Amino acid sequence: MTSSLIRGRPRRAAAHISVRVWHAVLGGAVGVLWLLLPGMTINTEVPVAPRTAPSAPATRAAGSGLSAGAAVSKEGDASAADLVLPLVAVVAAGALAGYGYLRRTRRARTRTTPGGSPAAPPTAPAPPHPPTELDEQSRAFLAEADDWVRTSREELGLVEARFGSEAVAPFARAVRDAESELSAAFRIGRQYEAGVPADEASRRHVRAGIVGRCQEAGRRLDAEVPAFDRLRALEGESGEALTVTETWFRELAAHTSATEATLTALAKRYPHSATAQVTGYVEQAKDRLVFATTHLNQARQWADWPAPERTAHHLRAAEAAVSQATVLLTAVDRLAAELSTATTLLPAALTGAEAELAGVRGRTADDEATPAGELHARVRRADLILAAVREAMTGGSPYDPLDALRRIMAATEPLALGQAGVLSAAGFLVARSAIALADGFIETHRSAVGAEARLRLAEAGRALTADPPDHLTADTLARESRELAERDVRLHGTPLSGAARHESGVAGAVLGGILLTGAQKDGPPPSFGGPRTRARRSVPSQ
């Protein structure tokens, strides 16, 4: 679309041209008038001499000659005078027209108002700190702090299994404190992403607050690392920890085939959409177990040497790999249980939703808070959704029971239904399943997933634990989190090239954050702690 300024320029330019042409025509007309005026006033007939007294012929002849010469001289002078004035008028008109043209041209070049040629707009100075760079810094801190907490929580669980909850109480408290700081940072970050506050000065303070919360979470974890390492004593007494991890590995490896059979059975019973989010999880778990096998063997070799630092390095890498394999296989088993529960719950949830919807129709006329037309539209939409769910249940084709419950939630929650009873239980099941699937994906793809997916997941958790819980919002945010995390992994691509890296499980380990350095095979595995201490178990130099 052409702006008003651009549309106005041709009209103003045409107006200036017409004025100049009019001035030139007027000047030319005046000049022509002056040229024609003398001819219109000169008498072309021979003048008749006045009658006088007779005189001598010679005298008459001489007198006649003098009179004729004087007449010719006077006529020539009058004609010259008559030509000069028109020429002066034409020159004056041309000069005025030229002066006007030059003045308008000069004015048009310097004009800043609409109608003339606008001056070039002044270039705004670039901001000293581009907001996008500061935003990326705060997002990076959020993702890193989330990884600190996840790693610390995972290793804390291993230590608690060995030494008991009493022995790890100070470290559990440190993890809870870090989780609290991170939760506050996520809450502020989510509001910031939504545009609150609006002015840049306040947004700079908010960004600083996000970074400060993340740094405090890391500081709290770093402070407990010395006591934590004294309790674990991986560098001094790694034998028991190594035995525990090897036992855990063997049990999980034996369970892999059972989980694979479970996934195959789910694919036969339900449509692909019901199991799509765990497709490939068994293969990824096997990949982590291959990586764990390598590092358990190396840990055992260095323990027999002995080389305690190298033993701790390889043992910690194996622990993290077995932990992620557990997350992947557990996701498949949990989804199987949730699909079974949803199948059992679906008929009661559908009947309950239809009953509550019938009650809404009965009190539609008495509802003054919602316009009758809007309420009728919501009821009609809910009717259509519930009818479609019942048709899917009775149609004989495979259907996704979790998705069916999700559709019932979408139909009833806008009508403020399902706050208790079977509908509430159905909503909780759906939201919890979506949150667990998103969390497991982020857990096993940490190095590639950014802050945006983690922000959505944190908000989904808050919606589920709110009073009253918002199941529909929690489910929606969790599924958005999963989609964003998958997008990040696709953009991240393959972390390492080479078939050997994939066959040994190193590529998957780097993607999952089991190894912090992707450029080398023996990068440090993350450990309990914050930014200063989490990479402390690197391979010592030769």
Side-chain angles (χ1 to χ4, degrees), residues 279-296:
T279 299
Y281 270 25
V282 174
E283 287 73 16
Q284 292 180 44
K286 291 178 180 179
D287 183 74
R288 301 297 195 275
L289 291 177
V290 168
F291 178 85
T293 300
T294 302
H295 284 271
L296 282 173

Side-chain angles (χ1 to χ4, degrees), residues 237-422:
E237 303 173 3
S238 59
E240 184 179 352
L242 183 55
T243 300
V244 169
T245 306
E246 288 172 337
T247 302
W248 182 21
F249 167 84
R250 285 192 293 269
E251 292 174 350
L252 195 63
H255 184 66
T256 302
S257 57
T259 303
E260 190 170 19
T262 299
L263 186 57
T264 302
L266 292 177
K268 291 179 179 178
R269 181 176 181 183
Y270 300 104
H272 175 71
S273 60
T275 59
Q277 293 197 343
V278 296
T279 299
Y281 270 25
V282 174
E283 287 73 16
Q284 292 180 44
K286 291 178 180 179
D287 183 74
R288 301 297 195 275
L289 291 177
V290 168
F291 178 85
T293 300
T294 302
H295 284 271
L296 282 173
N297 291 335
Q298 291 178 347
R300 179 61 70 184
Q301 291 172 5
W302 288 114
D304 295 338
W305 184 259
E309 291 182 347
R310 290 182 177 273
T311 301
H313 165 87
H314 292 292
L315 176 56
R316 183 69 200 107
E319 287 176 345
V322 176
S323 177
Q324 288 199 8
T326 303
V327 171
L328 292 164
L329 296 178
T330 301
V332 177
D333 295 335
R334 185 183 56 247
L335 179 61
E338 289 167 346
L339 288 170
S340 177
T341 303
T343 302
T344 303
L345 193 60
L346 182 57
L350 181 57
T351 302
E354 290 171 340
E356 292 203 26
L357 197 58
V360 171
R361 290 194 203 91
R363 63 174 184 270
T364 299
D366 301 329
D367 191 341
E368 298 179 356
T370 305
E374 182 181 346
L375 184 59
H376 177 76
R378 291 180 185 177
V379 171
R380 178 60 179 163
R381 176 177 175 273
D383 278 332
L384 294 174
I385 293 175
L386 297 183
V389 171
R390 184 166 290 282
E391 182 179 355
M393 286 177 57
T394 59
S397 299
Y399 64 92
D400 182 352
L402 280 172
D403 184 65
L405 291 178
R406 180 176 292 115
R407 295 166 68 187
I408 293 175
M409 286 168 50
T412 56
E413 290 210 5
L415 294 168
L417 305 177
Q419 302 299 318
V422 66

Side-chain angles (χ1 to χ4, degrees), residues 147-172:
D147 284 347
W148 306 336
V149 171
R150 287 176 179 272
T151 301
S152 299
R153 189 191 298 130
E154 175 248 316
E155 191 173 1
L156 177 65
L158 300 177
V159 177
E160 185 175 2
R162 275 187 65 194
F163 299 101
S165 57
E166 243 182 77
V168 301
F171 317 121

Side-chain angles (χ1 to χ4, degrees), residues 4-23:
S4 60
L5 293 181
I6 297 176
R7 288 197 305 269
R9 285 174 189 163
R11 292 196 297 268
R12 297 298 298 266
H16 291 166
I17 293 172
S18 62
V19 169
R20 289 195 297 270
V21 172
W22 170 247
H23 285 173

